């Protein structure tokens, strides 16, 4: 919550009613979230967002290919340098109010100790990648953008497979300053030490293969 919004709420004569209403909403959400945890299955991609249970439909091939292209390079670099763990698609990450299944996420060594073979609900990642689709873009640019920043996700990458661009947001305080969408050049991570990849490697298999060779055989 921004300082201005918080101050307005605190100064409102309806403060007691606002608090009671908020507590009632959160209590109802907690009950629904408990049922959500009891009902989820590994076969589907589920998210719990602001009291709503969302089951995602299958993704387009261009969505899957972009996710896989980034995962191959990021996982290879992280594995090669023992920097942590990279997960793809169906790893559920639990935030204070919501549960998300990002397209791709990185956990540094400080968080890998919280992850075991039986982990179903993962800690908040250090880096998240979301590949846009028509049904999810409003959440990727809305509640997720805000929630990821408020809870310390150091980098947030938004991939647009139609425009063939990537937006790389870096956390400053508790927000992501605006950035320009990149169609070319390098994506250089400050969260994953030493990791960089060409933007075109997300969308061009030949560029991806060359970037992979560079990871395993740096000059």
């Amino acid at each position: 919550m921004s300082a201005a919004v918080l101050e307005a709420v605190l100064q409102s004569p309806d403060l007691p009613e606002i608090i009671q209403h908020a507590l009632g909403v959160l209590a109802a959400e907690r009950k629904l979230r408990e049922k959500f945890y009891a009902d989820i299955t590994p076969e589907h991609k589920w998210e719990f967002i602001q009291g709503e249970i969302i089951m995602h439909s299958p993704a387009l091939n261009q969505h899957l290919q972009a996710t896989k292209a980034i995962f191959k390079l990021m996982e290879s670099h992280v594995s090669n340098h023992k920097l942590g763990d990279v997960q793809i698609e169906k790893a559920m990450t639990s935030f204070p109010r919501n549960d998300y299944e990002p397209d791709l996420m990185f956990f540094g060594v400080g968080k890998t100790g919280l992850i075991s073979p039986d982990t179903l609900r993962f800690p908040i990642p250090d880096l998240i990648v979301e590949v846009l689709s028509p049904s999810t873009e409003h959440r990727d640019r809305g509640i997720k953008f805000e929630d990821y920043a408020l809870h310390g996700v150091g980098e947030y990458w938004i991939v647009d497979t139609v425009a063939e661009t990537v937006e790389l947001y870096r956390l400053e305080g508790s927000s992501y300053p605006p950035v320009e969408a990149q169609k070319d050049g390098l994506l250089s991570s400050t969260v994953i030490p030493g990791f960089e990849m060409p933007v075109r490697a997300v969308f061009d298999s030949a560029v991806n293969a060359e970037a992979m060779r560079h990871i395993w055989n740096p000059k």
Side-chain angles (χ1 to χ4, degrees), residues 127-130 132 139-141 144-145 148 153-158 167-171 176:
L127 180 153
I128 286 177
V129 178
E130 295 283 13
L132 299 178
R139 287 189 292 269
D140 293 338
R141 295 192 180 280
K144 291 186 178 183
F145 190 92
Y148 293 170
V153 177
E155 282 182 10
Y156 181 26
W157 298 20
I158 295 180
E167 300 157 39
L168 197 168
Y169 295 92
R170 295 184 176 91
L171 190 64
Y176 298 122

Side-chain angles (χ1 to χ4, degrees), residues 29-108:
E29 280 190 15
R30 279 195 295 271
K31 290 183 179 179
L32 186 58
R33 202 175 187 185
E34 290 171 2
K35 185 177 186 304
F36 168 73
Y37 290 147
D39 292 344
I40 55 176
T41 62
E43 291 79 20
H44 299 100
K45 183 173 180 177
W46 303 81
E47 293 186 314
F48 185 91
I49 303 177
Q50 309 290 79
E52 181 182 2
I53 296 173
I54 299 166
M55 186 176 76
H56 292 275
S57 57
L60 295 174
N61 184 51
Q62 62 189 10
H63 182 289
L64 299 174
Q65 292 299 321
T67 305
K68 184 168 65 174
I70 299 173
F71 174 77
K72 288 192 298 183
L73 297 176
M74 191 175 290
E75 199 278 334
S76 294
H77 176 85
V78 168
S79 175
N80 192 22
H81 297 281
K82 298 180 173 57
L83 298 174
D85 188 31
V86 182
Q87 294 287 341
I88 190 169
E89 289 286 347
K90 292 177 67 177
M92 178 177 289
T93 62
S94 288
F95 285 65
R97 188 179 179 185
N98 301 310
D99 296 282
Y100 305 109
E101 291 192 0
D103 292 311
L104 189 150
M105 62 229 77
F106 163 75
F107 302 91

Side-chain angles (χ1 to χ4, degrees), residues 203-218:
F203 311 105
D204 186 316
S205 59
V207 178
N208 189 279
E210 179 59 32
M212 181 69 76
R213 284 192 289 271
H214 179 72
I215 287 174
W216 290 106
N217 297 288

Side-chain angles (χ1 to χ4, degrees), residues 121-138:
R121 292 163 52 197
F122 287 73
I124 294 173
D126 297 301
L127 180 153
I128 286 177
V129 178
E130 295 283 13
V131 180
L132 299 178
S133 65
S135 63
T136 66
E137 181 170 3
H138 68 291

